[in-house]
Amino acid sequence: MYEISVELGVNPNSIRQRLKKYGMPIRGRGDALKNAYKHNKKKHPTKDKHRTEEEKLKISQSVQSYWEDVPDEVRERYSEISKDRWQKMTEEEQHDLRSKAIEAIRRSAVEGSKLERFLYEKLEAAGYNVGFHHRPLENENLECDLVLNELLVAIEVDGKSHYENVWGIDKLRQTKKSDKDKNGLLLKRGFV
């Protein structure tokens, strides 16, 4: 619409109003921006931009602050938009997204989550000898996210699936039982 308005020398809103009047589909801002980036009509503001850890932290804190203050009705609206977007995806797109999520979970199980890696790096930098995805107890088949053996400290970074029904109620019960058993074994052996 902007390009048409420039070519005709009119206000972009008048073109939008006429298109609406005649029932023509109008792209949302997000779709219009995607199209502009795709056809190199507009430069993406963050593509190929490398941020410092400090900048990333500021952005993260800003997003967290925003979400803490979002009213329930706005959260619900975002949820409905996401559900609607999911419903509009083809089965192939949904399958692709599920596959990527499963792959990320598998990779995280081996490499650790971002938070686990962050804690590991900070503890190592502070001079601690840190076991990463380590089995601290002999003869026990349990693994802890991070372990400081000399201090008898075990650190578990439990995400949402450890306390909310993300993968189904049976999986949640199993996870809670495993967490409780692991905590008991660790405490019994003197770990905190």
Side-chain angles (χ1 to χ4, degrees):
M1 281 182 260
Y2 176 77
E3 290 171 350
I4 295 169
S5 70
V6 169
E7 194 172 310
L8 299 176
V10 296
N11 186 316
N13 283 331
S14 65
I15 293 174
R16 179 184 304 279
Q17 289 168 351
R18 285 192 173 88
L19 288 172
K20 275 187 174 180
K21 180 179 177 181
Y22 294 107
M24 300 296 292
I26 298 174
R27 264 183 264 179
R29 178 173 164 74
D31 290 331
L33 279 172
K34 278 185 207 170
N35 192 46
Y37 299 146
K38 182 178 174 182
H39 297 290
N40 295 321
K41 294 179 181 177
K42 186 169 177 71
K43 186 178 183 295
H44 194 285
T46 59
K47 187 176 182 184
D48 299 326
K49 184 173 184 176
H50 299 285
R51 299 189 183 279
T52 65
E53 288 302 315
E54 187 178 324
E55 289 172 317
K56 290 177 186 178
L57 184 60
K58 266 187 170 175
I59 291 168
S60 178
Q61 288 169 338
S62 172
V63 170
Q64 178 185 1
S65 175
Y66 170 79
W67 279 107
E68 285 172 351
D69 297 335
V70 169
D72 289 342
E73 59 272 7
V74 174
R75 283 180 193 267
E76 186 62 33
R77 191 176 90 238
Y78 282 131
S79 176
E80 291 304 318
I81 289 169
S82 295
K83 288 176 187 175
D84 186 48
R85 187 180 311 134
W86 177 259
Q87 294 300 323
K88 288 180 180 176
M89 285 183 187
T90 65
E91 281 192 34
E92 186 179 319
E93 290 170 324
Q94 289 178 355
H95 180 269
D96 184 48
L97 204 54
R98 282 188 187 109
S99 296
K100 287 178 180 175
I102 290 167
E103 177 55 33
I105 290 167
R106 284 188 183 132
R107 195 171 50 250
S108 175
V110 174
E111 299 171 4
S113 67
K114 285 183 182 180
L115 183 53
E116 289 169 357
R117 291 192 308 270
F118 172 80
L119 290 172
Y120 175 79
E121 289 169 11
K122 293 297 182 186
L123 289 166
E124 283 273 308
Y128 293 101
N129 181 16
V130 185
F132 190 75
H133 285 212
H134 182 71
R135 295 176 189 253
L137 306 177
E138 290 181 29
N139 305 324
E140 296 293 344
N141 190 21
L142 72 91
E143 183 178 90
C144 294
D145 296 333
L146 302 164
V147 177
L148 299 127
N149 270 319
E150 300 85 27
L151 301 175
L152 292 176
V153 172
I155 301 171
E156 285 292 299
V157 182
D158 291 343
K160 204 176 204 176
S161 64
H162 286 258
Y163 55 90
E164 285 187 19
N165 182 3
V166 175
W167 308 111
I169 194 69
D170 290 338
K171 182 66 176 166
L172 177 62
R173 283 189 189 117
Q174 180 186 355
T175 300
K176 284 187 171 192
K177 183 185 180 325
S178 296
D179 288 346
K180 187 177 175 183
D181 292 347
K182 184 189 294 189
N183 291 342
L185 284 169
L186 288 165
L187 289 169
K188 185 177 171 184
R189 302 284 174 86
F191 279 84
V192 293

